[in-house]
Amino acid sequence: MVDHGYSKLKINKKFSELKAYLVPIDKKTFKDTTELDFLGEPFTSVCMLDFKKAGMLEYFGPAVTAIEVFFSQGYDDQGEPSDEYVGQFIVYFEQPKTIEAEIEFKKKLADFYEAPNLTNNADGTLMMHYWYNESTVLNVYFGYDKAGKKNGVYRAIYSANGG
C-alpha cells in the first residue's frame, strides 16, 4: 500500500522538516513544465530536493535524476496560515537500461507497494502503474506524459488524495 510517500518525502510533511534539503527554483527550471498549471492553486511553491544530500540516489533501482516538491499552504486550528506542507512530489529517474532491469524495477515497486493498477495507451503499450489509498495517489510513468504521448521521461508522482 502507498505509504504517504517515499523515503524522507511524505505527503503532508512540513516545509520546515525538509528545509535542509530544499533548493528554491523558478518556473524556468521546472523539470516538467506541464506541472506549471498547479502553481497558485493548489500549490503555493515548489522546490527541488537535493536528493544527493538527502541520500535518495535510487528509486527502486534506477538512478534518481531530479526531485521536485510542491507545497500547499497550511492553516492552524484558528484558520491562520502556518507552515507549508508537501502536497505533491515528483521523482524523476533514469530509464532502466535493459528489459530485465525494467522487469526487476516493476517487481520491486509491486513488492513494496503491492500489485499496481495499470493504464495502457490506445496502442496497448503500458503507460503507467498507479496505486492509491485514502491519503496518497502514486502514478509511475514509463516514458509517457499524462496524455499518453511518448516523451522518454520516467517519473513517479506522489499526490495528496482527497478521498
Side-chain angles (χ1 to χ4, degrees):
M1 175 171 282
V2 179
D3 181 27
H4 305 302
Y6 173 68
S7 189
K8 289 179 177 49
L9 286 170
K10 304 284 185 208
I11 294 299
N12 296 327
K13 194 162 198 174
K14 292 185 177 186
F15 181 91
S16 57
E17 296 175 85
L18 295 169
K19 192 173 184 176
Y21 306 109
L22 299 174
V23 179
I25 60 171
D26 60 31
K27 293 179 181 184
K28 295 176 192 163
T29 55
F30 266 71
K31 184 86 172 146
D32 179 359
T33 56
T34 63
E35 300 298 322
L36 283 171
D37 295 340
F38 292 120
L39 274 181
E41 183 61 40
F43 305 119
T44 52
S45 65
V46 62
C47 292
M48 294 296 283
L49 184 90
D50 184 336
F51 63 90
K52 291 177 184 173
K53 186 176 181 182
M56 298 170 65
L57 302 176
E58 292 184 350
Y59 184 73
F60 295 97
V64 170
T65 59
I67 300 175
E68 292 173 340
V69 185
F70 294 80
F71 292 93
S72 295
Q73 182 62 58
Y75 295 93
D76 64 19
D77 293 340
Q78 288 74 41
E80 296 297 317
S82 64
D83 202 0
E84 289 180 295
Y85 62 90
V86 175
Q88 174 176 289
F89 62 93
I90 304 173
V91 178
Y92 296 91
F93 53 94
E94 292 180 353
Q95 177 178 351
K97 307 238 184 287
T98 64
I99 292 172
E100 293 80 12
E102 184 151 339
I103 291 168
E104 182 62 23
F105 164 67
K106 290 174 183 174
K107 182 180 179 325
K108 286 180 182 178
L109 280 172
D111 288 348
F112 191 80
Y113 290 122
E114 299 178 353
N117 297 289
L118 306 176
T119 300
N120 291 325
N121 290 306
D123 67 2
T125 57
L126 179 66
M127 182 172 106
M128 73 171 184
H129 286 175
Y130 68 96
W131 295 261
Y132 60 92
N133 64 18
E134 63 281 348
S135 67
T136 310
V137 175
L138 166 59
N139 296 311
V140 179
Y141 289 87
F142 304 109
Y144 293 88
D145 65 16
K146 292 178 185 176
K149 183 178 173 189
K150 192 166 185 74
N151 66 2
V153 177
Y154 278 60
R155 63 189 178 150
I157 302 174
Y158 292 78
S159 304
N161 186 13

